[in-house]
Amino acid sequence: MKILVTGTAGFIGFHLAKKLLERGDEVIGLDNINDYYDVNLKYARLDELGIDARHSKSNEIIQSSKFPNHKFVKMDLADKQSMEELFKTQKFDAVCNLAAQAGVRYSIENPDAYIQSNIVGFINILECCRHYDVQNLCYASSSSVYGLNTEQPFRTTDKTDTPISLYAATKKSNELMAHTYSHLYGIKTTGLRFFTVYGPWGRPDMSPILFADAITQDKEIKVFNHGDMSRDFTYIDDIVDGIINVIDNPAEKYSIYNIGNNTPVQLLDFIATLENSFGKTAKKIFMDMQPGDVKSTYADIDDLIRDFNYKPDTTLADGIEKFVKWYMQYYDFIG
C-alpha cells in the first residue's frame, strides 16, 4: 500500500511511518518542520528514518538512506498548490493525517497558527483526497474535544460542542469537515481521538519530558490543580497498532473512535513512576489549574475493541521504563 503520512517529523507520525516501513508499505512522509519545539528533535526522528532534511528545500522529495520504500517532502499543508501537485504525481492508496499545530496552551497565545495548519491544512487534505481519488483517510482528532464534559469515561456518543481551547475547536472542526466529505463524496474517513500519548521520542512540551527534565536537573515540577488531575496515558506502540488497524480496515464512510489506554492514572502516580525509574525524587510546586486544561480524561474504547480487536497492553511501569531508557540515551547524546 502507498501511504501518505503527514507529520512524520512529529512524535506519533515518526513512529507510525517506521512501523509501516518495517512491514513493507511504501510511505511518503510530509512535515513542515516548524519551530513550535526544538527542531533538532524533529531532525533526529527523521534521521532514524534515513532522512537528512536539515538542508532540504521546500517541496523537494528526498529518498531515505535506510528504507528503499520511503521518501520525504518538506511541505506545509496550507500550501494548496504544492499539496495538489503531490497528490497528482504520487497517487496514494491511503492518507493518515497526523500533521497539526499541537498544544492546548499555545493555542491561547497564537491562534492563527492553528487556523492555518489545522483548518486550512485539513481542508486541503480533504480536497486532495476528493480530486485525486483517495478513498481511505484517517486523521488525528483529540480527547480535548470533550471539553467541559464531566461524565466519564468519555464516549464518542457524548456531545462535543463545548471546547475550552481553540486547539480543541479546530479538532472538532476537522471531524465535522470529514463528515461532510464522507457524506458528499463517499470518502472513507476515520477520526481518532488520541488520549495523552507518551513514549520514546515524545514531544518536549508534554508532561513526560517536562517532568523528566525537572527530575534529572533538580528543577521544580509544576503540578497543576494541586495534583488533583488524571490522564488516560497511552503508550506510543499501542497507539500505532490502533492506527494501522484503521488504515488497513477503513470505515465504510465516516467513523470516530477514542484511542486510549482505558485506564486513567492520577498525575501524582505518574510522577511517582517516573521518580522510581530515575531513582530520584521530584521537587514539586502545587499550582492552580491552567486556562484551557481539564481535570481528567478517560477513554471508552469499546467501539475500537469491537471493530478492531484493539488491545492496549503496555503497563505504565513498562512504558515509563522504555521512555526513561530512551530519554537518558538521547539527551546524553546531545548533551
Side-chain angles (χ1 to χ4, degrees), residues 184-202:
L184 291 176
Y185 309 114
I187 300 171
K188 298 176 180 180
T189 66
T190 305
L192 295 171
R193 293 174 177 170
F194 294 131
F195 281 70
T196 317
V197 188
Y198 76 99
W201 298 99

Side-chain angles (χ1 to χ4, degrees), residues 4-9 28-34 42 46 53 56-62 71-90 92 97 99-100 116-117 121 124-125 128:
L4 171 66
V5 179
T6 71
T8 52
I28 305 295
L30 179 152
D31 205 291
N32 67 356
I33 317 182
N34 68 27
K42 298 183 178 185
L46 292 175
S56 65
K57 299 176 182 177
S58 293
N59 306 334
E60 176 188 7
I61 295 179
I62 303 171
K71 295 183 176 69
F72 173 83
V73 59
K74 182 180 179 181
M75 187 176 291
D76 197 312
L77 294 184
D79 183 348
K80 183 178 182 180
Q81 184 175 349
S82 295
M83 289 290 291
E84 288 180 341
E85 184 65 21
L86 182 70
F87 272 73
K88 181 180 179 180
T89 57
Q90 295 299 320
F92 302 112
N97 182 46
Q116 291 302 311
S117 180
N124 287 343
I125 287 280
C128 286

Side-chain angles (χ1 to χ4, degrees), residues 19 23 79 84 86 98 114 117 137 147 193 223 267 274 303 306:
K19 188 74 174 283
R23 76 169 194 172
D79 183 348
E84 288 180 341
L86 182 70
L98 300 175
Y114 292 77
S117 180
L137 168 65
R193 293 174 177 170
V223 182
L267 183 59
L274 275 172
D303 291 350
R306 180 197 67 213

Side-chain angles (χ1 to χ4, degrees), residues 210 214 218-222 283-285:
L210 292 174
D218 293 317
K219 295 180 179 179
E220 295 170 329
I221 286 177
K222 295 178 180 178
K283 300 176 181 178
K284 307 176 189 70
I285 305 177

Side-chain angles (χ1 to χ4, degrees), residues 105-283:
R105 292 156 195 153
Y106 186 61
S107 69
I108 297 172
E109 304 167 16
N110 191 6
D112 185 64
Y114 292 77
I115 300 301
Q116 291 302 311
S117 180
N118 301 6
I119 302 297
V120 176
F122 192 63
I123 193 63
N124 287 343
I125 287 280
L126 288 168
E127 277 287 278
C128 286
C129 287
R130 171 194 173 192
H131 290 293
Y132 297 100
D133 196 30
V134 179
Q135 295 298 310
N136 183 356
L137 168 65
C138 72
Y139 61 93
S141 186
S142 168
S143 62
S144 66
V145 302
Y146 290 104
L148 294 173
N149 281 16
T150 56
E151 185 175 342
Q152 296 202 7
F154 294 147
R155 296 176 173 84
T156 55
T157 53
D158 292 344
K159 289 186 176 180
T160 52
D161 54 4
T162 54
I164 57 173
S165 69
L166 183 65
Y167 170 73
T170 63
K171 288 299 184 180
K172 178 59 181 176
S173 298
N174 288 172
E175 295 179 1
L176 295 171
M177 293 157 71
H179 181 274
T180 302
Y181 272 69
S182 290
H183 174 73
L184 291 176
Y185 309 114
I187 300 171
K188 298 176 180 180
T189 66
T190 305
L192 295 171
R193 293 174 177 170
F194 294 131
F195 281 70
T196 317
V197 188
Y198 76 99
W201 298 99
R203 279 171 32 204
D205 63 316
M206 294 186 69
S207 58
I209 289 186
L210 292 174
F211 293 162
D213 286 347
I215 291 170
T216 56
Q217 298 170 32
D218 293 317
K219 295 180 179 179
E220 295 170 329
I221 286 177
K222 295 178 180 178
V223 182
F224 293 104
N225 205 38
H226 302 275
D228 186 16
M229 299 182 75
S230 63
R231 290 289 182 269
D232 201 338
F233 289 102
T234 313
Y235 189 66
I236 182 62
D237 289 357
D238 293 330
I239 289 287
V240 167
D241 286 346
I243 298 172
I244 290 176
N245 275 331
V246 167
I247 292 172
D248 289 346
N249 304 280
E252 282 305 309
K253 279 198 175 180
Y254 169 86
S255 292
I256 293 286
Y257 293 97
N258 289 332
I259 182 166
N261 199 47
N262 195 226
T263 309
V265 174
Q266 289 293 319
L267 183 59
L268 290 175
D269 291 338
F270 185 83
I271 294 171
T273 307
L274 275 172
E275 290 173 323
N276 184 61
S277 287
F278 279 114
K280 292 184 67 175
T281 301
K283 300 176 181 178

